[in-house]
Amino acid sequence: MGPAGESSERVLLVTGGAGFIGTSFVLTTRAADFAKVVTLDKLTYAGNLANLAGVAHDAEHLFVEGDIADRALVAALLAEHKVTAVVNFAAESHVDRSIDAPGAFIQTNIVGTFELLEAARAYVAGLAASDADRARAFRFLHVSTDEVFGSLGDTGAFTEASPYAPNSPYAASKAAADHLVRAYHHTYGLATVTTNCSNNYGPFQFPEKLLPLMILNALEDKPLPIYGDGLNVRDWLFVEDHCEAIRMALTRGTPGETYAIGGRSERTNLELVGLICALLDELSPRHGGGSYRDLVHHVKDRPGHDRRYAIDPSRAERELGFRVTHSLEDGLRRTVAWYLANRPWCAAITSGNYRRERLGLSVDGPAAPATKKA
Ligand code: NAD
Ligand code: DAU
């Protein structure tokens, strides 16, 4: 039996599958390779069951509302569905929110990952006694971020060997989770694989994040808030390319190893917003004329704002066969078109507590020091 079993009997437990990346993963995965997919999601502000309408009537997909920190629930799901692999997307994911209220990040990203690992460890130990092949084939794939490595200077890129130096409460909570995952492999032999990915973009992203926030604000002729000088650099990856990398890591990744995943598409925030504005100018011209670029507005910087992220994905390319298949131009075009075609989704998701207000400024005491460059 290969890693995580034969396709006819592979059963995935996907946590956080109603969020941005999880949705893309669930919608593009199960038909191809898996006998069953169980999605576990707490449906926080960022989770939206409507995202999964495409698999709602699929007999081989099951949605369960629940918390990864509920060990008994996770244990029951693993046993009942004879799960062969866990893919852990569930997290609090927004840096600005982690500045305002870090508690939820500690609870889900650290405690939640711990409980998930404990449930998986007990499940595999039980399997080992009854079905050694299935125990050997089990995989725990943990989805992490490049933010655990801190901030880069003007040159270089993060690799699997980069030292951990998280700068925000979000990044620190993800780093802690990564360390727990690593420890469960080294101490208990759990077959873990960790991926550290750069900034994703694409359909279904909650509009607190840069790209959808800019699209929706522009369409309402609202200012496009750029933090600080706008010269911070991110390495953009289309979400479907990330999901493909995760599937590759799941089947081809070596237990205990980590894989850095990125788009080889570095842009400053100002450059990226310029590209979005140009696409909107073409696809949905501004009423009254002029370019959406005129709405760009510099605002107070994010506290502790990391200057630059970039990933060298050579190892994932070499060992997993990972390739970026969507250029930034192609991916951005698809993304902007999706938001234009899905205005009701956007309206529904921002009709509750979140109204695209500025987040992440509620730091107590003196201004946070500027992030040290690596
Ligand atoms: P998201 O915020 O859009 O979705 C997170 C999902 O997790 C939501 O559906 C939410 O309801 C669910 N969730 C939150 N707490 C939970 C809990 N305790 N139990 C069960 N479900 C819970 O996040 P995303 O952008 O899709 O990110 C997914 C994962 O990928 C995260 O782990 C994130 O750290 C990582 N990541 C994201 C990016 C990015 O650019 N978005 C890049 C690299 C890594
Ligand atoms: O690098 C991977 C990370 O990318 C993931 O781990 C996180 O989950 C994901 O949210 C993302 O983090 P960022 O902080 O890079 O994403 P965000 O969309 O919040 O911001 C992107 C850049 O844009 C960042 O430099 C801050 C800036 N920004 C953001 C917002 C929301 C603005 O200038 N204005 C804004 O209004």
Side-chain angles (χ1 to χ4, degrees), residues 215-221 276-293 295 333 336-337 339-341 343:
I215 296 172
L216 298 188
N217 275 17
L219 292 173
E220 291 175 20
D221 236 34
I276 296 166
C277 289
L279 279 165
L280 284 171
D281 287 341
E282 177 194 328
L283 299 174
S284 181
R286 202 174 161 196
H287 298 300
S291 168
Y292 289 105
R293 281 173 199 263
L295 295 170
R333 185 172 285 277
V336 170
Y339 279 93
L340 286 171
R343 298 299 295 277

Side-chain angles (χ1 to χ4, degrees), residues 93-96 145-147 170 197-199 208-210 213-214 225-227 232 234 269 302 305 309:
S93 69
H94 192 36
V95 173
D96 287 336
T145 169
D146 58 1
E147 299 205 12
Y170 162 70
C197 187
S198 63
N199 285 63
E208 64 193 352
K209 308 283 168 45
L210 178 70
L213 182 72
M214 296 297 138
I226 302 287
Y227 297 171
N232 304 69
R234 298 293 183 263
N269 292 337
R302 169 186 279 175
H305 197 174
Y309 304 144

Side-chain angles (χ1 to χ4, degrees), residues 34 65 102 131 139 173 197 221 255 258-259 267 297 316 319 330 373:
F34 294 90
E65 183 174 348
D131 189 341
R139 293 289 182 274
S173 68
C197 187
D221 236 34
T258 70
Y259 297 91
R267 296 289 187 280
H297 174 68
E319 296 183 17
D330 167 44
K373 289 186 180 176

Side-chain angles (χ1 to χ4, degrees), residues 299-321:
V299 297
K300 192 172 172 195
D301 210 351
R302 169 186 279 175
H305 197 174
D306 283 340
R307 193 63 171 170
R308 178 171 164 260
Y309 304 144
I311 288 272
D312 174 359
S314 299
R315 182 183 193 188
E317 290 168 348
R318 211 174 44 245
E319 296 183 17
L320 305 179

